[in-house]
Amino acid sequence: MWRVRAMFLILISSGKLLSNSCPIELSPSSVVVRFGDPVSVNCTTSLDEFEGMGWEATEGGTSSKREIKMVTWSVASLKTWSIQPICYVTMSDYVQCQQNLEVTVYKMPDTVSIWPSLTGPMEAGGLYQLQCDIRNIAPVRNLSLTWYRGNEIIHTETRDNDIATPQNESFNLPITPEKDDDGIQIQCEVQMNLGISGPQWTPIKSEPFDMVVYYPPSFISPLPEILDLAVDDKPILNCTADGNPQPYYRLVSSAGYVEATETKAVFRLSSPLLPGTYNCTAANRMGSATKVFIVQNPPKNITQLEDTELEVGSSSTLKCFSEANPPPIFHWDYYKTGNVEVTYVAGGSLLHIKKATDVNIGNYTCIVAYALKNISHVARVTVKGANSQCPIEITPERLVMPYGGQTSVTCGNSTEDASRNMIGVFWRVGQRVVNGAQWDVEKDTDWDLRAECIATFSGIGECSKRFDVTFYKTADNVLIHSMGHTGPMVANTEYQLQCDILNVAPVQNLTVSWYQDNDLNDDQGSLRVTGCPHQNMDCASQEIKSPVNVSSTIKVSLERNQHRAQFRCEAQLALEQQRPPPMMSHNLSLSVYYEPIINSTKLPSSVPVLSGYPVELVCEADGRPAPNIHWFSKKGVRVSSGNLTVTEAGVWTCNATNVVGFNIHEVVVVFKEDYLPLIAGFVAATVLVISVVFAFFYSIYYKNTKMRHYSLKNPKLNTQNGNVAHNSWDSPLPMTKLC
């Protein structure tokens, strides 16, 4: 074995020792073993060929083995506190690798105990130290200590100590005890953290240390205690106090009388005493405490204070009297104004009201204070002819704002008297309460918001003033359309137009105006809610606060000359403080159709026709859409045109038709003889006869008086001029006279 060890050292020095990827596996990979217990660990190699393997250890080492692939490190009783076995394997090329085995040897402590730094009781507020001693434990590095106050963990700590052998360890806990720590148990607990592979043993606790804490006396109810007794009663005073050590008691009266000094806390006075104050003192070595007992004859009922009714401008006095021993103190609670004065008299108090007004209406409370106990009585004052008003003022007085906007409203006093008498103020908004005078409206999203300012005043009590809030929302859209009809309208026929205003609020402030072209229409219609926001309910417009759809309907009847008339509707929220811009619909252009109208001025009812002379009849008609025109006769002849040529007598009807209706016009054609040719012939014949007669007589006359006979044979031109001579007066052209 030593030869192998020497070879191992040589390999280390030559750098041929392999430490990474060593083909060795330890089972288990680490061990936790109690001192003196047996232990064994197997070392296995995955190599098929190797020179040898074995364990190097101060106890349980083995020689190098060649034939087997597993060697075991085993110790029957491990009594070495610090040991580190090494499993090695020498491979075929004489390169050696190794695996270290982590071994933890532990020992449970012999004792765990607590010791105080000082013996005896502790004083509350003092600084002390508790020590936890742990005897003979190993290893210390695996130790953790926990301190307990009853079942409560108050501190945990460990030690950084690498010593493997058993050690004695002490842990200190500084404490400052209080009154509540008296009787509490303190313990320390030891736990060995030996890891997952180690044994899981139950922690060891010390014996409990019972704390004894001294503290000064204190009374469960330290406030003065009032005993209402008759003069001849013998009072019993319970003066019990809590303290450690047990306190002793001493009772002293306000007159200096010492009743008793004893350890009992209950005093029964041996004889009746005059009412007064008693001081009970409880004391021990830590301190003392005193409680006051007030023995008194309490005030009797308040007398002479009654409800009072005054006339406006009149005066009155309220009286308040009561008996007690010692004498009580009187004061008044009321709405304080300048015309009220309070005076005091023996056994009572007087309140004077001068020239009463509406501010004097309210409750007047007389309070009789005796030691720490009060009695009171209330009288109601009314003023005839005056009305009580809540003296608060809201700014602004009314609010109109867009839904989702942001603003604040303040509730304050309306007068200086109100400021002096106000006790508190808050807002009630729906079911929610907003404390203080200011209310931020943007936090509220209820359309039907009901808000009121509520204030409390002396004498008046709680009164309120409602605040009106109007949220508005302009319409998402304003639409105009005709109802129950599409396409063009027929002239002189009544139709309905509807304006839809979508998602607008509040509807009770909405007005709708109708315009025809640029003129305000005569019919402005009426509003109605087209969609109720509440299911199964009919909505009245005055009750709706949230956005709804609203419609307005008007009746229209157009003339034929109103073709392409433009209609529009305009929605306006008529609000007091803010008026948003009007919301307008688009223009609705209306087409007007009307039945045909035949132009009778160009088409008479009766037309004559002459034989051989045809007559053209022209039928013209106005209508929208443009009418179709045709002629038909009683004989069943039909002409699809507005122009008709007739040559004979008969009755013809012009029919003008469009989608609206039709119109007809009847023409009677009358046949007449044509005498014009006869007359013309007669006139022509007469003219011809006259012409012939005239020509005859003229020819006779011409021959007898004027006519000459000339021969044109061989004429010669006169060189003077070229004119032809007539009747021999001018004869430039020579002629031969025949006769």
Side-chain angles (χ1 to χ4, degrees), residues 8 15 61 96 197 242 290 303 311 340 472 478 570 638 641 671:
F8 172 71
Q96 194 176 63
S197 61
D242 178 28
T290 300
T303 61
E311 296 284 347
V340 176
Y472 72 86
V478 179
E570 179 180 286
R638 189 177 189 278
S641 173
F671 181 78

Side-chain angles (χ1 to χ4, degrees), residues 716-731:
K716 292 183 180 179
L717 295 175
N718 191 328
T719 58
Q720 294 180 351
N721 52 54
N723 295 328
V724 179
H726 294 278
N727 300 324
S728 70
W729 293 299
D730 187 7
S731 181

